[in-house]
């Protein structure tokens, strides 16, 4: 309920059952102090439920309260990060849930709503006593971060003119941010997809940069996962670009040159009552001096950090704070490097390697007002919930990925012995469907409930209907022989990649491996003799089902904010299932499906993974567990294979490929209940 209608005070009625938190007198902020009792009476009269709030020793909020209530909050701005870290510590430090509830009532009335939402979400994901609870999806609590503000105007009209049961869904227009004159607009359906942006927000929620409780940040292979998850975003983005007749994304590596791509977000921040600032085409990042954000940094600082990374990679060692050096080893090097690059508090030497990736977001997001003279806040690149909307996000992350790839290129290539699984031969993989080995995609319309995010408005569900990509579900059939004479366990790894570049030239192995999109990974028992493995697309280890990305309100109209939603929102991190397969083309876009089975005895991680939040592990890991695969993330494509010309040359007997196509139908279907 603390997430419901973020700017409405918690002593007002929250949720559909009209819960009122009865707070002690000293909890009222100054502006309500005089009228506290009257307010309590007024909202208490027809409350559905009264929750008495325990009086506790009040926390010191002086640091987190430095962020004005009606400001934007950015996870990438160091000062904001520190304020958030303090608040997370306060939430984590509460003795029990009842104390947490008290401190939330107190904070909800004072703290910037977006920072409050973020910190409470992080705390709920990490406190042992709140693990069964979950923050509602951000698209419901802050819908303004995901859609055209015209939607809210219409939602307002709808909610005041029609009773909850009779409201027509509000349509979110398709392609509303730019015209066809902007080539980048061809892939706006990807960049502005609500599910993709929610995934990215959730990922950064699960992997915060900063908290006093080191365990919240210091998770198994966290840096490596940062590298891998974002590498996969770039690979997927490049596939989408090819499907839309655009060339590969070019990395943003000249910090002194103009950024060709402009971006006009067409969004308003509800909390800040401001439009998100645009970035004009041809903008160049400039030295930052924004006392209000305590940011002072020159572009040259980014260049210095960059040079130190290059030096570290080329020498194979990093410099530690005590002046000693540490070798980057094959197993942990990428993790160490990515933690330095991000950077988070577990960076081994933040003083020297700085904060390159985060500050890239910051420089770009303030390019329109680097010294705050226009009193403007950051652009969409400053917020993980909105960053992926902007074409520059991909150029920036392509650059970051390039540095990681430079490191990967220093590692020994995999020998055939390391790739093979003796005795296991994979003879084929196929896709079921109307036409064999053809994926089918089209548009689909779904809805999301805005009610929780519409402050000071009549109650009841208000649905917004939006259009997104969707694919027909399919099944993989894998034929495999086990000649070891005994039962074996394998890890099945399935990837998809383009076969040609934009000009139609065949891709070589080095180009193709970086474009490999992980589709699934699972453990499989293999009987002696021949095996036919069937696997459904919906079970992918990369994605979370639609119902978890968006709560499917069409199935529960009118019960917005009810407790049921907890089941759906439980593990929000995971690539949205509707974006599993690239769009393809109407003629059919050629791609190659790759399947490999490795020896599970070498891959396995001994741990108990029973419970939830373990079904989108490829990009998100498993909550409170180790990453469930010992191989380097992205294996076997995480590094070059120097003597290999094409993918065909790379194959060992435990691998197979299948040419496929993706056929897109330009039609909209309504979401079917599955
Ligand atoms: Cu996710 Cu840059 O790390 O956006």
């Amino acid at each position: 309920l603390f997430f419901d209608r973020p700017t409405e005070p918690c002593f007002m009625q929250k949720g559909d059952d009209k819960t009122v938190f009865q707070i002690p007198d000293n909890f009222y902020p100054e502006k309500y102090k005089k009228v506290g009792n009257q307010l309590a009476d007024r909202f208490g009269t027809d409350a559905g439920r009264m929750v008495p709030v325990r009086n506790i020793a009040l926390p010191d909020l002086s640091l987190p309260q430095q962020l004005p209530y009606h400001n934007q909050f950015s996870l990438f701005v160091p000062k904001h990060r520190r304020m958030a870290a303090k608040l997370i510590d306060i939430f984590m430090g509460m003795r029990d849930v009842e104390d947490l509830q008290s401190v939330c009532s107190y904070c909800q009335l004072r703290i910037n709503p977006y920072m409050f939402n973020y910190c409470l979400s992080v705390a709920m994901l990490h406190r042992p006593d709140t693990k069964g609870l979950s923050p509602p999806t951000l698209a419901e609590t802050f819908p303004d971060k995901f859609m055209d503000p015209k939607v809210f105007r219409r939602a307002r009209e709808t909610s005041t003119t029609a009773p909850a049961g009779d409201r027509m869904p509000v349509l979110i227009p398709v392609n509303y941010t730019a015209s066809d004159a902007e080539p980048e607009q061809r892939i706006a359906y990807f960049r502005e997809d609500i599910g993709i942006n929610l995934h990215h927000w959730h990922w950064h929620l699960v992997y915060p940069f900063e908290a006093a409780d080191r365990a919240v940040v210091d998770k198994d292979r966290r840096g490596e996962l940062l590298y891998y998850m974002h590498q996969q975003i770039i690979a997927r983005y490049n596939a989408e670009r090819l499907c839309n007749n655009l060339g590969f994304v070019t990395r943003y590596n000249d910090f002194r040159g103009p950024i060709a791509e402009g971006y006009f977000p067409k969004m308003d921040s509800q909390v800040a009552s401001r439009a998100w600032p645009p970035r004009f085409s041809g903008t160049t990042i400039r030295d930052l001096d924004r006392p209000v954000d305590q940011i002072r940094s020159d572009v040259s600082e980014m260049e210095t950090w960059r040079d130190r990374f290059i030096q570290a990679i080329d020498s194979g060692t990093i410099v530690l704070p005590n002046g000693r050096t540490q070798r980057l080893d094959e197993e942990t090097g990428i993790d160490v490097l990515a933690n330095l690059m991000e950077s988070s508090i577990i960076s081994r030497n933040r003083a020297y390697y700085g904060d390159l990736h985060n500050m890239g977001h910051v420089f770009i997001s303030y390019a329109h007002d680097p010294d705050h003279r226009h009193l403007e806040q950051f652009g969409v690149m400053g917020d993980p919930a909105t960053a992926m909307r902007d074409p520059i996000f991909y150029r920036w992350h392509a650059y970051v990925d390039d540095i990681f790839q430079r490191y990967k290129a220093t590692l020994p290539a995999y020998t055939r012995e390391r790739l093979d699984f003796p005795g296991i031969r994979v003879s084929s993989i196929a896709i079921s469907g109307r036409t064999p080995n053809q994926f089918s995609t089209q548009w689909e319309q779904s809805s999301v409930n805005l009610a929780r995010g519409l402050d000071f408005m009549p109650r009841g569900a208000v649905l917004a209907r939006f259009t997104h990509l969707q694919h027909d579900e399919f099944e993989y059939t894998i034929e495999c022989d086990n000649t070891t004479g005994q039962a074996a366990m394998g890890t099945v790894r399935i990837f998809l990649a383009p076969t040609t570049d934009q000009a139609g030239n065949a891709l070589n192995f080095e180009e193709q491996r970086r474009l490999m999109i992980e589709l699934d990974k699972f453990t499989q028992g293999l009987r002696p003799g021949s095996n036919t493995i069937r696997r459904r697309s919906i079970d992918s280890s990369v994605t979370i089902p639609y119902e978890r990305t968006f709560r499917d309100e069409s199935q529960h109209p009118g019960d917005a904010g009810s407790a049921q939603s907890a089941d759906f929102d439980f593990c929000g991190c995971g690539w949205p299932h509707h974006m599993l397969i690239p769009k393809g083309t109407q003629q059919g876009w050629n791609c190659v499906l790759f399947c490999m089975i490795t020896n599970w005895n070498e891959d396995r991680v001994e741990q108990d993974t029973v419970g939830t939040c373990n079904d989108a592990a490829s990009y998100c890991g498993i909550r409170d567990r180790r990453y469930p695969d010992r191989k380097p993330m992205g294996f076997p494509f995480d590094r070059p294979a120097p003597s290999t010309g094409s993918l065909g040359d790379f194959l060992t007997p435990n691998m197979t490929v299948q040419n496929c196509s993706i056929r897109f139908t330009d039609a909209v279907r309504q979401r079917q209940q599955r």
Side-chain angles (χ1 to χ4, degrees):
L1 294 172
F2 287 114
F3 294 103
D4 191 45
R5 301 179 173 240
T7 63
E8 289 186 13
C10 63
F11 52 75
M12 281 176 68
Q13 298 167 355
K14 292 270 184 190
D16 273 12
D17 64 351
K18 301 185 179 175
T19 298
V20 168
F21 291 93
Q22 290 177 291
I23 54 173
D25 285 348
N26 54 332
F27 277 33
Y28 285 101
E30 209 48 54
K31 60 179 172 181
Y32 297 122
K33 272 226 163 97
K34 278 203 181 121
V35 289
N37 285 335
Q38 295 163 26
L39 290 169
D41 287 350
R42 192 167 114 214
F43 295 112
T45 324
D46 67 333
R49 183 165 60 127
M50 305 288 273
V51 178
V53 169
R54 193 192 275 169
N55 202 348
I56 53 163
L58 295 174
D60 173 9
L61 295 181
S62 50
L63 181 61
Q65 272 195 292
Q66 284 174 24
L67 183 67
Y69 188 88
H70 290 291
N71 249 52
Q72 288 279 50
F73 163 72
S74 168
L75 271 181
F76 296 113
V77 172
K79 183 187 171 194
H80 293 195
R81 265 187 262 156
R82 285 193 294 275
M83 293 190 286
K86 173 73 188 163
L87 193 58
I88 292 170
D89 295 342
I90 291 172
F91 291 155
M92 292 295 291
M94 291 294 122
R95 285 176 310 171
D96 53 28
V97 173
E98 213 169 315
D99 277 10
L100 179 64
Q101 175 175 284
S102 291
V103 85
C104 284
S105 323
Y106 182 71
C107 293
Q108 198 263 334
L109 300 167
R110 298 173 162 72
I111 296 287
N112 174 284
Y114 190 40
M115 182 162 77
F116 174 81
N117 178 304
Y118 171 74
C119 297
L120 181 55
S121 301
V122 171
M124 279 169 59
L125 291 174
H126 293 93
R127 282 180 66 99
D129 55 1
T130 50
K131 290 232 162 112
L133 298 169
S134 74
T137 167
L138 199 73
E140 288 186 357
T141 45
F142 289 98
D144 53 326
K145 286 183 186 287
F146 300 91
M147 53 195 85
D148 183 349
K150 285 183 187 144
V151 170
F152 304 109
R153 215 200 132 72
R154 284 188 214 117
R156 255 180 208 113
E157 287 163 13
T158 308
S159 69
T160 40
T161 52
D166 295 339
R167 294 173 187 164
M168 293 288 288
V170 179
L171 266 192
I172 300 176
V174 183
N175 259 352
Y176 60 92
T177 43
S179 74
D180 292 348
E182 171 55 63
E184 296 294 325
Q185 192 62 13
R186 290 181 218 153
I187 40 171
Y189 67 88
F190 180 93
R191 285 187 281 105
E192 291 165 1
D193 183 81
I194 298 177
I196 283 183
N197 282 283
L198 278 173
H199 159 71
H200 189 238
W201 156 258
H202 266 279
W203 194 95
H204 284 285
L205 203 60
V206 180
Y207 296 97
F209 313 113
E210 201 150 324
D213 180 354
R214 206 178 150 86
V216 170
V217 180
D218 196 358
K219 298 190 169 130
D220 180 47
R221 294 169 76 186
R222 168 217 163 95
E224 185 179 5
L225 193 55
L226 172 102
Y227 135 77
Y228 181 58
M229 197 282 285
H230 290 84
Q231 184 273 333
Q232 284 287 292
I233 288 177
I234 301 303
R236 288 177 169 275
Y237 185 67
N238 272 325
E240 273 339 306
R241 294 184 72 86
L242 291 177
C243 294
N244 288 280
N245 206 17
L246 294 165
F248 295 122
V249 63
T250 52
R251 68 216 156 104
Y252 172 62
N253 58 347
D254 175 9
F255 305 156
R256 305 288 171 170
I259 298 169
E261 297 82 359
Y263 187 67
F264 291 70
K266 315 267 184 306
M267 290 198 301
D268 287 344
S269 162
Q270 243 179 202
V271 169
S273 302
R274 283 282 161 80
W276 283 82
R279 186 186 58 259
F280 291 78
S281 320
T283 303
T284 303
I285 60 168
R286 287 173 288 166
D287 296 345
L288 295 177
D289 186 5
R290 296 179 53 106
V292 54
D293 303 308
Q294 290 177 9
I295 296 181
R296 202 181 169 147
S297 182
D298 290 354
V299 176
S300 59
E301 203 169 13
M302 299 261 287
E303 292 164 334
T304 305
W305 294 333
R306 172 195 63 196
D307 294 345
R308 290 174 181 169
F309 274 103
I310 302 299
Q311 201 178 20
I313 291 165
D314 293 353
S315 67
T317 54
I318 61 162
V319 178
L320 297 175
N322 61 11
R324 297 234 188 98
T325 56
Q326 180 193 337
R327 276 213 75 71
L328 295 167
D329 67 60
E330 187 178 351
E331 198 182 331
T332 62
I334 186 70
D335 194 48
V336 169
L337 206 58
N339 283 324
L340 288 175
M341 165 73 78
E342 189 178 5
S343 66
S344 71
I345 53 160
I346 60 171
S347 162
R348 303 263 163 112
N349 193 352
R350 220 177 195 177
Y352 188 71
Y353 293 100
D355 198 10
L356 183 58
H357 154 265
N358 288 336
M359 286 306 285
H361 278 267
V362 171
F363 270 98
I364 294 167
S365 70
Y366 285 130
H368 57 285
D369 193 16
D371 56 8
H372 199 229
R373 75 175 65 189
H374 298 293
L375 307 178
E376 282 290 311
Q377 301 191 19
F378 53 83
V380 291
M381 265 293 269
D383 182 341
T386 54
M388 289 183 71
R389 309 176 78 83
D390 188 335
I392 190 66
F393 172 90
Y394 305 88
R395 295 196 55 203
W396 176 238
H397 269 281
Y399 172 71
V400 170
D401 189 54
D402 231 60
I403 299 181
F404 292 138
Q405 295 295 338
R406 185 182 180 113
Y407 168 69
K408 284 285 187 176
T410 67
L411 300 179
Y414 294 119
T415 58
R416 293 187 80 76
E417 291 66 44
R418 277 179 83 183
L419 294 169
D420 202 9
F421 185 179
I424 303 298
R425 212 181 121 254
V426 181
S427 49
S428 67
I429 180 168
I431 297 299
S432 69
R434 260 169 287 157
T435 314
N437 297 319
Q438 187 181 83
F439 301 93
S440 300
T441 61
Q442 64 274 304
W443 300 120
E444 186 176 75
Q445 270 193 343
S446 300
S447 35
V448 60
N449 186 5
L450 305 177
R452 275 189 228 245
L454 300 173
D455 301 86
F456 302 104
M457 299 243 288
R459 306 276 133 170
V462 182
L463 300 186
R465 188 156 290 165
F466 59 100
T467 306
H468 57 87
L469 189 64
Q470 183 59 283
H471 58 270
D472 288 351
E473 297 305 342
F474 55 88
E475 197 175 76
Y476 306 97
T477 307
I478 300 157
E479 299 292 346
C480 157
D481 275 323
N482 172 0
T483 59
T484 60
Q486 48 191 303
M489 287 291 270
T491 308
V492 182
R493 302 166 189 272
I494 304 176
F495 291 85
L496 179 97
T499 52
T500 55
D501 65 12
Q502 188 203 357
N505 304 314
L507 298 169
N508 64 31
F509 178 80
E510 178 56 19
E511 293 162 328
Q512 210 169 23
R513 73 164 186 94
R514 290 185 60 177
L515 296 164
M516 283 284 173
I517 295 169
E518 183 172 337
L519 294 186
D520 205 351
K521 177 162 67 181
F522 56 94
T523 306
Q524 178 71 41
L526 303 166
R527 291 186 309 266
S530 65
N531 290 263
T532 302
I533 304 164
R534 289 185 208 284
R535 171 86 169 176
R536 298 181 310 165
S537 54
I538 195 79
D539 296 325
S540 166
S541 65
V542 171
T543 61
I544 53 172
Y546 173 89
E547 288 76 11
R548 211 177 301 150
T549 297
F550 313 102
R551 181 167 175 235
D552 191 354
E553 292 298 336
S554 58
Q555 294 178 34
H556 319 269
D559 65 353
S562 74
Q564 291 173 35
S565 55
D567 307 335
F568 297 110
D569 302 329
F570 192 33
C571 323
C573 188
W575 191 253
H577 189 72
H578 64 268
M579 298 304 281
L580 177 66
I581 301 295
K583 184 180 171 199
T585 60
Q586 296 191 37
Q587 305 75 43
W589 182 71
N590 293 329
C591 53
V592 62
L593 191 64
F594 169 90
C595 175
M596 173 184 202
I597 302 186
T598 54
N599 188 347
W600 180 73
N601 283 322
E602 292 165 10
D603 305 334
R604 74 162 151 195
V605 172
E606 299 281 2
Q607 61 184 349
D608 169 18
T609 58
V610 176
T612 36
C613 287
N614 63 2
D615 64 345
S618 289
Y619 295 174
C620 292
I622 305 180
R623 189 193 281 188
D624 306 324
R625 296 290 187 277
R626 291 165 63 202
Y627 191 78
D629 177 10
R630 268 178 31 201
K631 292 274 192 299
M633 295 180 199
F635 177 88
F637 299 113
D638 66 300
R639 57 188 73 177
S643 59
T644 304
S646 72
L647 181 59
D649 304 334
F650 179 73
L651 304 183
T652 46
N654 56 330
M655 305 181 196
T656 191
V657 289
Q658 172 65 50
N659 286 324
C660 293
S661 68
I662 306 175
R663 188 176 289 270
F664 169 72
T665 308
D666 193 6
V668 183
R669 74 173 188 207
Q670 296 297 320
R671 185 170 166 74
Q672 292 149 8
Q673 301 200 351
R674 296 192 170 92

